[in-house]
Amino acid sequence: IVILGLVIGFVNGSLVTRFNIPSFIVTLGMLSVLRGAALLATGGWPTIIKLPTDHSFLNITAGRAWHFVPTQVFWMAGLMIIAAFVLGRTILGRYTFAIGSNEEATRLSGVSVVRWKASVYVVSGLFAGLAGVVIAARLNSAQPSLGMGYELDAIAAAVIGGTSLS
């Protein structure tokens, strides 16, 4: 699932950077394509994950700390710390902020905007793949209709936060 997320991130990044398709359109289009593929592959029914005798996959999300904090909270906190480090302390983070602030000025300063922008999409795909693993382990199934309608919440949050849809 994680490698599939990386591949999808690469495809999205390629469509945005090479063909100059707006990222909003590429993201929603890929959402529709992948949701349709998931529904087609599963017939629209939840698919139980068949596990070997080793339950290590389920143990990714099985535990609780202090009897009330689910393991997913620690996964989220760990990934947030990694993301904060990458954005604050690496070249990828600096270039991501520069491209987001003024893409043309970043290009004129000698940064390969196409390469770094595609890298951001690949990292985004990686995080989406990790989220897929965590939710599949939590539910012990693949739910093709899980998250239906969440995209509107994400779009609303981005717009309220001041992100331009263009």
Side-chain angles (χ1 to χ4, degrees):
I1 294 175
V2 175
I3 292 177
L4 184 60
L6 285 168
V7 169
I8 292 167
F10 178 77
V11 170
N12 282 350
S14 297
L15 289 171
V16 169
T17 56
R18 299 289 180 199
F19 299 106
N20 292 324
I21 303 172
S23 57
F24 187 70
I25 301 300
V26 169
T27 305
L28 285 179
M30 187 60 76
L31 169 72
S32 296
V33 167
L34 294 174
R35 184 173 286 156
L39 288 169
L40 189 64
T42 62
W45 293 96
T47 303
I48 303 298
I49 298 173
K50 305 255 189 290
L51 295 172
T53 56
D54 173 15
H55 289 285
S56 59
F57 181 68
L58 293 178
N59 290 337
I60 291 172
T61 60
R64 288 184 179 271
W66 305 291
H67 301 291
F68 63 90
V69 180
T71 308
Q72 293 90 342
V73 172
F74 295 106
W75 279 98
M76 181 187 68
L79 291 175
M80 283 176 50
I81 290 168
I82 292 169
F85 176 79
V86 168
L87 287 173
R89 305 271 187 215
T90 66
I91 292 173
L92 176 62
R94 280 194 297 266
Y95 287 171
T96 300
F97 280 114
I99 291 168
S101 296
N102 191 336
E103 190 172 326
E104 184 62 18
T106 306
R107 185 186 65 75
L108 290 173
S109 65
V111 175
S112 174
V113 171
V114 169
R115 185 176 111 202
W116 289 104
K117 205 176 199 185
S119 298
V120 170
Y121 278 92
V122 170
V123 171
S124 176
L126 169 73
F127 278 111
L130 288 171
V133 168
V134 170
I135 195 70
R138 173 92 172 128
L139 298 176
N140 191 26
S141 67
Q143 304 277 345
S145 61
L146 186 68
M148 191 114 18
Y150 284 3
E151 62 274 7
L152 294 178
D153 294 340
I155 293 166
V159 170
I160 290 170
T163 302
S164 170
L165 293 181
S166 63

